[in-house]
Coordinates of all heavy atoms in Angstrom, one line a residue:
D1 N 99.9 91.6 81.2 CA 101.3 91.7 81.1 C 101.6 93.0 80.2 O 102.7 93.1 79.7 CB 101.9 90.5 80.3 CG 101.3 90.3 79.0 OD1 100.3 91.0 78.6 OD2 101.7 89.3 78.2
T2 N 100.6 93.9 80.2 CA 100.9 95.2 79.4 C 101.0 96.4 80.3 O 101.4 97.5 79.8 CB 99.7 95.3 78.4 OG1 98.4 95.4 79.1 CG2 99.7 94.2 77.4
A3 N 100.5 96.3 81.6 CA 100.6 97.5 82.4 C 102.1 97.9 82.7 O 102.9 97.0 82.9 CB 99.9 97.1 83.8
L4 N 102.3 99.2 82.7 CA 103.7 99.5 82.7 C 104.3 99.8 84.1 O 105.5 99.9 84.2 CB 103.8 101.1 82.0 CG 103.2 101.0 80.5 CD1 103.3 102.4 80.0 CD2 104.1 100.1 79.6
E5 N 103.5 99.7 85.1 CA 104.0 100.1 86.5 C 105.1 99.2 87.0 O 106.1 99.7 87.5 CB 102.8 100.1 87.5 CG 103.2 100.5 88.9 CD 102.1 100.6 89.8 OE1 100.9 100.4 89.4 OE2 102.3 101.0 91.1
E6 N 104.9 97.9 86.7 CA 106.1 97.0 87.2 C 106.2 95.9 86.0 O 106.5 94.8 86.3 CB 105.6 96.2 88.4 CG 105.6 97.2 89.6 CD 105.1 96.4 90.9 OE1 104.7 95.3 90.8 OE2 105.3 97.0 92.1
I7 N 106.3 96.5 84.8 CA 106.4 95.6 83.6 C 107.7 94.8 83.5 O 107.8 93.7 83.0 CB 106.2 96.4 82.3 CG1 105.9 95.5 81.2 CG2 107.4 97.3 82.0 CD1 105.4 96.2 79.9
A8 N 108.8 95.3 84.1 CA 110.1 94.6 84.1 C 110.0 93.3 84.9 O 110.9 92.4 84.7 CB 111.2 95.5 84.6
D9 N 109.1 93.2 85.8 CA 108.9 92.0 86.7 C 108.1 90.9 86.0 O 107.9 89.9 86.6 CB 108.3 92.4 88.0 CG 109.2 93.2 88.9 OD1 110.4 93.0 88.8 OD2 108.7 94.1 89.5
G10 N 107.7 91.2 84.8 CA 106.8 90.1 84.1 C 105.4 90.2 84.6 O 105.0 91.0 85.4
A11 N 104.6 89.3 84.0 CA 103.2 89.2 84.3 C 102.9 88.8 85.7 O 103.4 87.9 86.2 CB 102.4 88.3 83.3
H12 N 102.2 89.7 86.4 CA 101.8 89.4 87.9 C 100.7 90.2 88.4 O 100.3 91.2 87.8 CB 103.1 89.6 88.8 CG 103.5 90.9 88.8 ND1 104.3 91.6 87.9 CD2 103.3 91.9 89.8 CE1 104.5 92.9 88.3 NE2 104.0 93.1 89.4
L13 N 100.2 89.8 89.5 CA 99.2 90.5 90.2 C 99.9 91.3 91.3 O 100.6 90.7 92.1 CB 98.1 89.6 90.8 CG 97.2 90.2 91.9 CD1 96.3 91.4 91.4 CD2 96.4 89.2 92.6
H14 N 99.6 92.6 91.5 CA 100.1 93.4 92.6 C 98.9 93.6 93.5 O 98.0 94.3 93.1 CB 100.7 94.7 92.1 CG 101.1 95.6 93.2 ND1 102.4 95.6 93.6 CD2 100.5 96.6 93.9 CE1 102.6 96.5 94.6 NE2 101.4 97.1 94.8
L15 N 99.0 93.1 94.7 CA 97.9 93.1 95.7 C 98.4 94.0 96.9 O 99.4 93.8 97.5 CB 97.5 91.7 96.2 CG 96.5 91.7 97.3 CD1 95.1 92.1 96.8 CD2 96.4 90.2 97.8
E16 N 97.5 95.0 97.2 CA 97.7 95.8 98.4 C 96.6 95.6 99.4 O 95.5 95.4 99.0 CB 97.8 97.3 98.0 CG 99.0 97.6 97.1 CD 99.0 99.1 96.6 OE1 98.0 99.8 97.0 OE2 99.9 99.5 95.9
L17 N 97.0 95.8 100.7 CA 96.0 95.5 101.8 C 96.0 96.8 102.7 O 97.2 97.2 103.1 CB 96.3 94.3 102.5 CG 95.4 94.0 103.8 CD1 94.0 93.8 103.3 CD2 96.0 92.7 104.5
Y18 N 94.9 97.2 103.1 CA 94.8 98.4 104.0 C 93.9 98.0 105.1 O 93.0 97.2 105.1 CB 94.1 99.6 103.3 CG 94.9 100.2 102.2 CD1 94.9 99.5 100.9 CD2 95.6 101.4 102.3 CE1 95.7 100.1 99.8 CE2 96.3 102.0 101.2 CZ 96.3 101.3 100.0 OH 97.0 101.8 99.0
K19 N 94.2 98.6 106.3 CA 93.5 98.4 107.6 C 93.2 99.8 108.1 O 94.1 100.5 108.5 CB 94.2 97.6 108.6 CG 93.5 97.6 110.0 CD 92.1 97.0 110.0 CE 91.6 96.8 111.4 NZ 90.2 96.5 111.5
D20 N 91.9 100.2 107.9 CA 91.4 101.6 108.4 C 92.2 102.7 107.6 O 92.6 103.6 108.2 CB 91.6 101.7 109.9 CG 90.7 100.7 110.7 OD1 89.6 100.5 110.2 OD2 91.2 100.3 111.7
G21 N 92.5 102.3 106.4 CA 93.2 103.3 105.5 C 94.7 103.3 105.6 O 95.3 104.1 104.9
V22 N 95.2 102.4 106.2 CA 96.7 102.4 106.5 C 97.2 101.0 105.8 O 96.7 100.0 106.0 CB 97.2 102.4 107.9 CG1 98.7 102.2 108.0 CG2 96.6 103.6 108.6
K23 N 98.2 101.2 104.9 CA 98.8 100.0 104.3 C 99.4 99.0 105.3 O 100.2 99.5 106.1 CB 99.8 100.4 103.2 CG 99.3 100.9 101.9 CD 100.3 101.3 100.9 CE 99.7 101.8 99.6 NZ 100.8 102.1 98.6
I24 N 99.2 97.8 105.1 CA 99.8 96.7 105.9 C 100.2 95.6 105.1 O 99.9 95.5 103.8 CB 98.7 96.2 107.0 CG1 97.5 95.7 106.4 CG2 98.4 97.3 108.0 CD1 96.5 95.2 107.3
N25 N 101.0 94.7 105.6 CA 101.5 93.5 104.9 C 100.5 92.4 104.5 O 100.0 91.9 105.5 CB 102.7 92.9 105.8 CG 103.5 91.9 105.0 OD1 103.1 91.5 103.7 ND2 104.6 91.5 105.5
P26 N 100.2 92.2 103.3 CA 99.2 91.2 103.0 C 99.6 89.8 103.5 O 98.7 88.9 103.8 CB 99.1 91.3 101.5 CG 99.5 92.6 101.0 CD 100.6 93.0 102.1
M27 N 100.8 89.5 103.5 CA 101.4 88.2 103.9 C 100.9 87.8 105.3 O 100.7 86.7 105.6 CB 102.8 88.2 103.9 CG 103.5 86.8 104.1 SD 103.1 85.7 102.7 CE 104.3 86.2 101.6

């Protein structure tokens, strides 16, 4: 809960997913 990137959103995990180097929707 100390990282500044999205601190206003409260404590959370930010997960990103890539396929062959391109960002895609993790959902």
Side-chain angles (χ1 to χ4, degrees):
D1 59 355
T2 60
L4 301 177
E5 185 173 358
E6 294 179 348
I7 194 170
D9 292 325
H12 67 278
L13 162 70
H14 177 88
L15 176 66
E16 296 177 354
L17 178 63
Y18 295 76
K19 169 64 173 167
D20 298 324
V22 179
K23 281 184 180 180
I24 56 177
N25 189 353
M27 186 68 77

